[in-house]
Every structure is written in C-alpha cells, then in structure tokens.
Amino acid sequence: METNQYCAPCLFGAEGILRDELRRMDAGEVSAQTGRVLFTGGPEMLARANIRSRVAERVQVLMGSFPARSFEELFQGVKALPWERWIGKADRFPVKGWSLDSQLHSIPDCQSIVKKAVVERLKSVYHIPWFEETGPLFQIQFTIHKDEATLLIDSSGPGLHKRGYRARSGGAPIKETLAAAMVDVSRARLAPVVMDPCCGSGTLLIEAALSASGIAPGIRRRFAAMDWPSLDAGVWKAEREAARDMERPDRVFAAVGGDADPEAVALTLENGTKAGVGSLVRAANRRLEDFVPEGDQGVVLCNPPYGERLLDVKEAERLYRVMGQRFVPRKGWSYAIISPHKEFETLFGRRADKRRKLYNGMIECQLYLYYK
C-alpha cells in the first residue's frame, strides 16, 4: 500500500492533543512540531484525518523540505519534487505561502519562483507548453522558516474548523478547533453533563456533544481532495462509514448552556440543531450570578469575555470574580476556564490545579483547570 507523508497544522499549544488524536486513528510515524504534526499513511489516512480530526486546522500533503537561501535554491528544490504524483495536466495549482526569519522575504517573488518551478517540472513530464488550469484544485502552500523551505498541497479546502453548523455566531466566538482542544484536555467528553454559563453561540457545548456522541466533525462536509482524480472515491465512502460506525447515539449526555443575552441562547439552540446534536443541547436565558451545577457530576467549560474584545477590562474582571464565587469546589465537578488575563487566578480567588497554554488565534491564553 502506498504511503505518503502528511502535515496537519494546529493552534499553538494543541500539538500534543493532535498528536495523540492521530495516533488513535492509527496514523504512522506521528511527530509533533511547533504548530503542526507530521504523520504518514495511505490515501485512507488522508481522508480519515480530514473527516475525524477535531483539532487539526487542515490536512496537507507534505511534498518535501530543503534549504532555500537564494531564489535559485528555491527554484531547483521545488522543481525536484514529484508534483506529477498529484497534479494532472488540466488541474489548478495556485501558490501561496509565507516567509519568516529567512533571506528570501519577498512573498510575491517566492510565489512566482515556486509557480515557475512547478510548471517547469510538469512541462518536462507532460510535454505540453502551457497549463489551462481548469480542473480540480491543488492549493500549493510554501513556508520558509530560517532558510528552510517546506512545500505542501492542501487537501482540506476551507479550514477544518468550519464544521458547517456555525453560519451565524455571537461576538468574538471561540474557534471550533480550540473548543475541541478544551473538551479533550478537560475530559468533558467522558462526563454526563457539560455546562457553559456564558455559552454565546454554543461552540463549547456543541463540540463537547459531538465528542461525547462520537460524531466526526467532518462527517457532513466536503474536502478539496474529494475531487482529486488520484484518490479513489471509495476511500472517502469507506472512511465516512467507519466514522459513522463509531457514533454513540445512545450515550447519556447533556450539554447545558446559559447566557444573559437571549439572542445567544437562541443561537446556541439553532447551531446545536445544525450540528446534529440538538437533542443533547439545552440553553436558557440566565445570568452568570445565578449559575448552579446540575446533577452529581459534570464539567463546566467557559470562555468568558476577555475585555479587550467585547467588554471593558473592569467588566471582564468582575465576571472572573463572579465565577470564583459560583464555580465552587464540589465533589464530582470540575471547571475549565480559558483566559488571557495574567491575574485571572487572583481575580477568581483560587490557584488552578493545573494550567495549559493554548492560543486563541494569536492571543496567548491559559486554560485554568479546577478539579479538586
């Protein structure tokens, strides 16, 4: 069976979570690096990672890496890679990328060089003078970091955080992949009840419900690589069926939300239905000051307003104090709150039992875990 090397970028801080997730999928040679995880597998692993990964931002084919200190080195390095393995005579292959701490810093020039090198490689293989580029999309991505170039082809299309259930969202929503990372770290998927008293558009509750019921986040969406002639459509069909076989429709679970904004409550319920977990998600118009855990055990997940994006800092700090009063130690219950505020624990009133650094976009945050 053919084996390819793949790359799955992820949010900073989520590398270990994604590494373990890919290992559970039986990916080969899994290796976590800063902001990404490398792994190997056949075409089925490409489809599986796209359909089932909750934390990966996308799945890319890793074409190769090489030193690129000059445009000539970049050109020759790109030209030496087997682009014909994936890209056909009529396929589209636009180029985008970035460069950091490298001698080659002009992105437009690098794009032009990479494109030219791929064209020259394909010309030598297909023996045609030009490429119409009307077929399936093969988005080429280059990264140049400290004079090391890496070339990839994106297989996902729109980012994997776009599950399809959140066409509308409240202000400053948490990214779906970050919410899934919080669900993983807090072990919320194993709890009978997950609560979010600041539910917003319901992302944390929905990601917890998807994970608890075993529903693959990409089960309903399409991916760019589904149009690639080199990948058998049967692979995608088989991986979707395998993912559906892992679902747990009888799982006893409830995702319970509250929010002071009635529109947020309505949005949570709407998004839960779109995600296919409407029967598991409940939400009500309720103030944080009135929060009380439901049942004997469960997990509270919370992404409170940060201050710099939605409320002024004083109001955000007031909410942290209220949380400290309402999220009291209670047998069977744990709390996971994400915040970038350096004095969160002081405002909350207790030191966390454990902390985990995670990034919400480019904002460095801490996930504060309370379980004792």
Side-chain angles (χ1 to χ4, degrees), residues 166-188:
R166 206 172 72 177
R168 295 196 304 126
S169 61
I174 193 170
K175 202 172 187 180
E176 293 89 335
T177 44
L178 177 56
M182 290 175 60
V183 168
D184 186 285
V185 172
S186 65
R187 301 176 69 82

Side-chain angles (χ1 to χ4, degrees), residues 9-289:
C10 62
L11 294 170
F12 291 119
E15 297 91 349
I17 301 169
L18 178 55
R19 175 199 61 208
D20 295 343
E21 180 183 59
L22 288 167
R23 285 175 176 168
R24 291 195 296 270
M25 293 185 205
D26 297 323
E29 301 178 50
V30 182
S31 172
Q33 301 181 353
T34 302
R36 67 181 191 175
V37 177
L38 305 183
F39 60 105
T40 61
E44 76 289 344
M45 183 52 61
L46 180 75
R48 187 178 307 164
N50 270 300
I51 293 168
R52 288 166 48 182
S53 178
R54 302 182 189 280
V55 184
E57 294 299 311
R58 57 183 63 253
V59 178
Q60 302 164 319
V61 177
L62 178 57
M63 295 298 294
S65 298
F66 51 86
R69 295 170 292 264
S70 67
F71 287 133
E72 180 64 19
E73 280 191 324
L74 179 62
F75 178 85
Q76 295 299 337
V78 172
K79 188 180 177 184
L81 299 175
W83 298 101
E84 68 279 2
R85 163 69 181 81
W86 301 95
I87 303 172
K89 295 179 182 180
D91 297 335
R92 292 175 289 152
F93 50 101
V95 176
K96 64 181 180 179
W98 54 264
S99 178
L100 182 66
D101 297 332
S102 299
Q103 295 180 55
L104 299 181
H105 52 79
S106 170
I107 302 305
D109 286 340
C110 290
Q111 283 179 294
S112 178
I113 293 294
V114 170
K115 182 74 174 187
K116 182 179 178 181
V118 176
V119 167
E120 291 303 314
R121 170 75 185 207
L122 295 179
K123 277 184 179 180
S124 69
V125 173
Y126 295 128
H127 306 292
I128 55 177
W130 64 282
F131 296 86
E132 59 186 49
E133 295 197 53
T134 58
L137 175 64
F138 291 79
Q139 177 65 64
I140 295 174
Q141 168 84 46
F142 70 85
T143 69
I144 307 176
H145 185 218
K146 295 183 178 179
D147 297 324
E148 181 81 2
T150 299
L151 276 295
L152 313 112
I153 302 176
D154 173 52
S155 73
S156 300
L160 295 182
H161 70 279
K162 296 185 177 180
R163 321 287 208 213
Y165 63 77
R166 206 172 72 177
R168 295 196 304 126
S169 61
I174 193 170
K175 202 172 187 180
E176 293 89 335
T177 44
L178 177 56
M182 290 175 60
V183 168
D184 186 285
V185 172
S186 65
R187 301 176 69 82
R189 69 186 184 282
L190 304 176
V193 178
V194 169
M195 301 188 71
D196 181 358
C198 303
C199 63
S201 57
T203 308
L204 281 166
L205 296 174
I206 293 168
E207 290 298 322
L210 289 171
S211 184
S213 55
I215 298 175
I219 196 70
R220 299 182 176 192
R221 58 162 281 179
R222 283 189 57 82
F223 306 95
M226 292 177 68
D227 296 325
W228 294 0
S230 56
L231 293 181
D232 186 347
V235 169
W236 295 94
K237 184 174 183 292
E239 288 300 326
R240 286 189 194 277
E241 290 175 352
R244 288 193 176 95
D245 288 342
M246 299 175 70
E247 293 180 4
R248 301 184 293 273
D250 299 328
R251 168 84 155 81
V252 177
F253 177 83
V256 183
D259 203 287
D261 182 358
E263 291 188 9
V265 171
L267 195 53
T268 291
L269 297 174
E270 177 186 327
N271 289 342
T273 299
K274 287 180 180 177
V277 292
S279 62
L280 303 179
V281 176
R282 292 187 281 116
N285 187 202
R286 188 179 297 124
R287 299 186 314 153
L288 177 63
E289 287 84 349

Side-chain angles (χ1 to χ4, degrees), residues 4 261 294 370:
N4 303 304
D261 182 358
E294 292 186 11
Y370 296 87

